[in-house]
Amino acid sequence: MAFMQSYAEVSTRLADMKDLVLTRVNCGDWPDVCLNEDVTCFPTVKMYIQGDKHLLYTGMLGTHSLLKFIMLSRIPTPVLLKSIEDVEAYLKGELRSDLKTQWDIPVVGLFSSEMKEASDAFIEAAYSLRGIVVLRMHIQKDAFYHSQKFGVALPALMFVRDEKSHIEAIHLENPSREGIVSAVKSVMLETFPEATVENFPSYFHPLKPLLMLFIDNGDTKTMKAREELEQLTKLRDVQTYTMCWIDLRKTHVGKEILQVYLNYLPQLPALVLVQLSSSGHVFVFPEGELISAVGVLYWLEKIQTGQEVPKNNLQRKEWTPPQATYDFLAIMDIVHPGFAKQRTPTSANQEKPYEEEESGTEHLNESGEEEAQSELAAASQKVQGTPTPPDKQNKMQHDLHNEL
């Protein structure tokens, strides 16, 4: 399978790590092991760390995603930062030498010493996110000082989205484990990302209209369009949209997506709005017009008021398997009629039917063996024209007995 290639590449890259072992289990050969480990789908990747619960990998089946999961899983989380100076140094990247910047987004939870329940929930959330992000936390007696310094009420999250961004802080309105996990995943998302096959599922929201910029080069016109839309993301009016851009040079499937959306390939850069959750209408920013923040806001307002005519209307289609499912039990029944038929006891007494079934099976095996042996002897006589020697017949019977 394709994932085995990625798994082998990760194994090669981590070959020098003496305290890490990558193995594989064929569930066809070891069904009991897979049953005990609750393996219900394939491939399944689990990481076992001594003294901890195993971690289940749920990311993309690619080399980079799996490598990131393994490296981040090896780091205990959350890590306690002792001072506010350590918090600021960590957010600036000065205390993250153990992690590659493309693997980890700095996120710190701020709590006062009185917020025992919220800080415990943060610890639980940190373990839930192990392999995805390494969380830090800081607990301070003076909550008012933190509120004044960072302009946010505690409990709070502090983070930096990328190297070019400044330190941001948000208040944790729901300081439960689920609420903290949701908040952390939200701050890890870029406001105007490049959409790829790997990251699009993280950004896609079925209830939000999708506003996507399609590009195929880095000329001045294209870069200006990206800058204008990036500025637009800071306005509250467009936070109801999922905004992203896609480079057709790197993500080749983008051309097929654009063809499906519009039924034709427009001049690029092209800005497209897709209303997936409601009508399925597809709108395209006027071709030939310069894409600017003001122009896009005016265009979106016209769409909301019904003044803009959609270019296309996506039809809802049922997602079905590309091929019919393979009925293994039916194939088994063709070879051995009745062999794969499920047997369910009808009596209230469960033990007796099973005993009868087992004894019946033994009797069937004995009679079937005798019949097969006689048929084999007759066939041998018919082919050879002479009786089968006793020693050879005994050997054939012995081989058939082993098969049965």
Side-chain angles (χ1 to χ4, degrees):
M1 65 180 68
F3 179 62
M4 284 303 301
Q5 178 64 32
S6 299
Y7 193 79
E9 291 177 4
V10 172
S11 179
T12 301
R13 293 192 189 185
L14 302 178
D16 295 334
M17 302 184 70
K18 304 302 181 182
D19 59 341
L20 178 67
V21 179
L22 271 72
T23 61
R24 63 177 180 175
V25 177
N26 187 336
C27 290
D29 297 332
W30 301 93
D32 292 344
V33 174
C34 296
L35 180 63
N36 293 336
E37 294 302 321
D38 195 27
V39 176
T40 58
C41 60
F42 306 99
T44 294
V45 178
K46 293 187 177 184
M47 186 166 183
Y48 297 85
I49 303 173
Q50 187 174 6
D52 289 334
K53 297 179 181 179
H54 71 265
L55 302 177
L56 177 64
Y57 177 64
T58 58
M60 297 291 292
L61 300 180
T63 303
H64 178 77
S65 298
L66 180 59
L67 186 62
K68 174 183 175 180
F69 168 78
I70 294 175
M71 298 306 295
L72 292 182
S73 298
R74 292 166 51 82
I75 303 173
T77 180
V79 178
L80 183 64
L81 300 176
K82 297 181 179 180
S83 66
I84 195 63
E85 289 75 20
D86 288 344
V87 172
E88 294 178 331
Y90 171 71
L91 292 172
K92 293 176 182 178
E94 299 173 6
L95 299 180
R96 288 188 289 150
S97 58
D98 57 335
L99 295 174
K100 292 186 178 181
T101 55
Q102 68 267 27
W103 284 352
D104 185 44
I105 294 177
V107 182
V108 180
L110 296 180
F111 305 90
S112 69
S113 55
E114 292 81 13
M115 300 175 179
K116 180 70 168 57
E117 186 175 348
S119 60
D120 288 345
F122 185 83
I123 294 174
E124 294 178 6
Y127 190 85
S128 299
L129 293 168
R130 193 168 182 178
I132 299 175
V133 62
V134 178
L135 298 183
R136 268 68 173 175
M137 66 184 303
H138 176 62
I139 301 176
Q140 178 73 17
K141 292 183 179 180
D142 190 357
F144 179 75
Y145 170 78
H146 282 75
S147 299
Q148 292 293 318
K149 183 175 180 62
F150 300 111
V152 62
L154 301 189
L157 287 181
M158 297 186 63
F159 55 94
V160 177
R161 296 186 187 272
D162 55 62
E163 295 179 350
K164 299 179 182 179
S165 302
H166 60 281
I167 297 176
E168 300 180 57
I170 61 169
H171 171 63
L172 284 173
E173 297 180 357
N174 179 15
S176 63
R177 184 186 70 85
E178 295 78 9
I180 294 172
V181 168
S182 177
V184 171
K185 288 184 176 181
S186 178
V187 302
M188 291 176 63
L189 300 178
E190 299 178 44
T191 55
F192 187 50
E194 177 184 3
T196 63
V197 175
E198 290 78 13
N199 69 7
F200 185 73
S202 300
Y203 289 94
F204 175 72
H205 194 296
L207 299 180
K208 281 187 173 184
L210 178 63
L211 187 60
M212 181 176 289
L213 177 67
F214 292 83
I215 66 173
D216 65 350
N217 60 62
D219 60 8
T220 304
K221 181 180 179 181
T222 299
M223 298 306 296
K224 181 65 176 176
R226 281 183 52 188
E227 292 175 2
E228 290 288 321
L229 290 175
E230 193 164 0
Q231 292 296 322
L232 197 63
T233 59
K234 300 177 182 179
L235 301 179
R236 186 176 297 274
D237 295 342
V238 298
Q239 292 182 0
T240 56
Y241 300 91
T242 297
M243 298 181 61
C244 58
W245 58 279
I246 183 169
D247 192 339
L248 304 189
R249 295 170 299 179
K250 295 189 293 183
T251 307
H252 302 295
V253 72
K255 183 176 293 186
E256 299 179 25
I257 295 173
L258 191 56
Q259 178 72 42
V260 170
Y261 283 167
L262 301 177
N263 288 327
Y264 72 96
L265 293 177
Q267 181 182 357
L268 301 182
L271 183 61
V272 176
L273 175 68
V274 187
Q275 296 177 335
L276 296 172
S277 61
S278 55
S279 59
H281 289 162
V282 180
F283 300 88
V284 61
F285 190 80
E287 298 182 43
E289 187 175 328
L290 184 65
I291 299 177
S292 64
V294 175
V296 171
L297 282 176
Y298 178 66
W299 174 62
L300 293 176
E301 184 178 349
K302 289 176 63 178
I303 293 175
Q304 292 176 356
T305 56
Q307 302 178 44
E308 193 77 11
V309 179
K311 287 286 186 179
N312 193 18
N313 186 26
L314 298 179
Q315 302 295 325
R316 292 187 178 274
K317 295 182 179 179
E318 182 180 358
W319 285 38
T320 57
Q323 296 179 351
T325 55
Y326 193 83
D327 192 343
F328 289 96
L329 296 181
I331 300 300
M332 293 169 65
D333 274 335
I334 293 176
V335 180
H336 299 287
F339 179 80
K341 182 179 179 181
Q342 184 175 1
R343 299 170 178 84
T344 304
T346 56
S347 174
N349 185 0
Q350 298 290 324
E351 296 181 359
K352 186 175 181 180
Y354 283 123
E355 293 174 356
E356 293 176 353
E357 182 179 341
E358 291 177 359
S359 61
T361 302
E362 293 175 359
H363 177 71
L364 180 62
N365 288 341
E366 292 174 358
S367 61
E369 182 178 344
E370 293 174 357
E371 182 180 351
Q373 289 174 357
S374 60
E375 289 180 358
L376 180 62
S380 177
Q381 293 176 4
K382 182 177 180 180
V383 173
Q384 298 179 6
T386 58
T388 304
D391 56 339
K392 187 173 183 180
Q393 183 174 348
N394 291 337
K395 182 178 183 302
M396 294 171 66
Q397 292 176 356
H398 178 72
D399 294 340
L400 179 61
H401 177 75
N402 290 336
E403 292 180 6
L404 292 175

